[in-house]
Amino acid sequence: MAKLLKSLLSLLAVAATVLALLAAPAWAEGEEPADEDLSELLNEAPDAAGLGQDESGGPWGVRFEGELRANVWYQYGGEHEWKTTNRLDLLAEKQLDALKLLGRLKLDYQNLQQEPDFRADPRELYGQYRLQASWFNYLDLTAGKRILYWGKGDEIRPVDIANPEDMTSYLFYLKNERKTGVLGLFADWAINRFVTVEAFWSPYFQKSWTPDLGDYFEPHALRALHDAGIGEGSAIAPDSFSDMASAGGRLKLSVERFDIGLYAYQGYSNMPTYEVSALARHPLYGLPIIPTQVSPTYYRTTMYGLDFERALGDFVFRGELAWFADGNQANIDWAHDPTLLLKRPSGVEEAQELQYVAGVDKNDLFIRHLYVNVQYVGQYILDYEDYFTEDQATHGMTLSTHYSMFDSKLKFRYWLVCDFTNHTYRNLLEGTYKINNWSEVSLGAIFYDGDADTLFGQYDNKDYVYTQLKLIF
C-alpha cells in the first residue's frame, strides 16, 4: 500500500507539472481567478457560451448548462482490466414571471455491466409556480419529476431515501450524482425566515439501478448464493403507478446559527431486499427448508428522522437520525439453521432500526485552504434477534479532506469510509488541476480493504487508478 501511495503521489506531481506548463500562457493573460469550489463548476459557464444569448441568459430566454465527464479506470488488482464511465449532464431553465420550467437530462455510457450500457435518464423535468403574500415569504408549487435533497450529513445521509439512485457505479459517483427525481407534486412553503414546510406526494414507483451477477460491482452475497446453486428470480415490485402512493415531508426550523429539520416518509423503498422466493423439501426430513431461489423485493417502509446543523465559531457541527419504524427487513441466518425458514420462509424479518450520523467540519484547519470533515456513523437494530445475520449495532467513521493551492487551480482530496465493526475500509485519493474556468483534469486511486463478506472487502481485488476530464459549457 505504501508503494502504491508513493507511486500515485509521483504521478500526481508529474501530471500537475505538465499541465501547469501547458497552461502557463493562459495564466499570464490576466489575474488568477478567486478561490472557488470546483463542485460548483456546473453553475458557471465559459465566456464563449454567452455569445449570441440575450439578457435573460440564453436563446429564447432559456438558460443552458452542461457538464461532460469522461473517466478511464485501470484495475490493477485481480484481472487488470480497463473500464470507462462517461456522463453528459444537460440542464435547461426558463423563467416566465412567477413560473419556472426546468429540465435536466443525464446520458451515461459505461462498461461496468456485463454488456456496455447506455442510459438516458431525465433526472428532472418540472414546472414550479411561486406564490407570494404579505403574511408569508413564498409558496412554491411544483409538478413533475424533481430531485429532493434531504439531510445534513457529508455523503452518508440516513434520512435521504426518497430518490431512486444509480448504484451500478456507486463507489465512484457521489450520492447527489447518483440520484434521479421523484415524479409527483411538491410544495415548499417558507412561512418566514425561521420556518419552512416542504411536502411531496408521488403515485409513481421507480426502483434504483443496482448491480447484478456478472457486473463489475456484483454483490458478494449474491455470487455466493449463485455458486451454491440458488438462482435469482424476477423482482417482486409494485406496479409503476401504484395505488399505494409515496409521501413525505420536512419541517425546517432556523434560529440564529442553529438549523433543525424534522422528516417523515412513507412509501416503497427503492432499494431491494433479497428474500427467499422458492423452497424445496429436504430429501430426508421432508420439510420445505431448502432455498432454491431468491428475488429482489421492494417493501413499503416508514421513516421518521431529524437533522441539525450548528455553527460555533469556525466549526460546524451537524448530524442526522433516521428511525425506520416499519418495513425495514433484517436477514435471518438460515444458512446455518435452515429450520428458521419454517416460520419465516422469506428468509427476512421486519425489525425497527436506527441509523445516525454526527460530525464536525472546519475550513482553514491549521493551514489556509485545508477543509476537514469527520463523522461518526452507526446503526442499531431495535427488535434484534440472535438469529439475524447482521450485528445489532455497527459503528464507523468517515474522513473527508480537501486542500487547494495556486488559487484553487490545484486541489487534493482524500476520502476515507470505514466500518469498525466489520473491519472494512474504502480509501480515495485524488488530485485535480483546473485548466481554466470550464475544464479540469483529475488523477486518483480508490482502494478497498476487508474480508470478502464485508461492504468494501468484497471488492478488495478491484482496486483501481483513474483519470477524469471534466468540461463545463
Side-chain angles (χ1 to χ4, degrees), residues 412-456:
F412 296 96
R413 176 165 70 113
Y414 174 69
W415 183 23
L416 167 69
V417 182
C418 57
D419 178 349
F420 295 140
T421 304
N422 296 299
H423 307 289
T424 182
Y425 310 89
R426 172 189 184 267
N427 295 270
L428 179 148
L429 180 64
E430 180 184 81
T432 298
Y433 177 73
K434 183 178 179 182
I435 303 172
N436 48 42
N437 285 341
W438 51 273
S439 62
E440 65 183 38
V441 64
S442 301
L443 180 66
I446 295 181
F447 41 97
Y448 314 95
D449 192 16
D451 294 335
D453 59 349
T454 59
L455 177 62
F456 301 126

Side-chain angles (χ1 to χ4, degrees), residues 170-185:
Y170 76 106
L171 296 178
F172 189 74
Y173 289 112
L174 299 177
K175 185 175 181 66
N176 286 341
E177 299 168 341
R178 300 193 302 260
K179 290 181 180 180
T180 191
V182 176
L183 181 65
L185 302 175

Side-chain angles (χ1 to χ4, degrees), residues 106 119-124 144-147 161-167 178-184 202-210 237-242 244-246 265 267-272 298-299:
K106 180 185 73 174
R119 182 183 301 140
D121 175 28
R123 299 182 69 197
E124 292 189 287
K145 189 176 184 182
R146 180 184 173 194
I147 296 176
I161 63 171
N163 294 94
E165 298 181 34
D166 183 356
M167 305 296 289
R178 300 193 302 260
K179 290 181 180 180
T180 191
V182 176
L183 181 65
S202 173
Y204 182 77
F205 171 75
Q206 179 177 335
K207 61 185 180 182
S208 295
W209 295 283
T210 53
D239 295 333
S240 294
F241 283 94
S242 172
M244 299 289 287
S246 299
Y265 174 83
Y268 285 101
S269 172
N270 49 62
M271 297 297 294
Y298 298 85
Y299 288 91

Side-chain angles (χ1 to χ4, degrees), residues 20 23-36 369 405-410 433-437:
W27 286 19
E29 293 176 0
E31 295 183 0
E32 296 176 358
D35 291 350
E36 57 190 6
H369 304 313
M405 60 178 59
F406 305 129
D407 289 325
S408 293
K409 284 190 174 293
L410 187 61
Y433 177 73
K434 183 178 179 182
I435 303 172
N436 48 42
N437 285 341

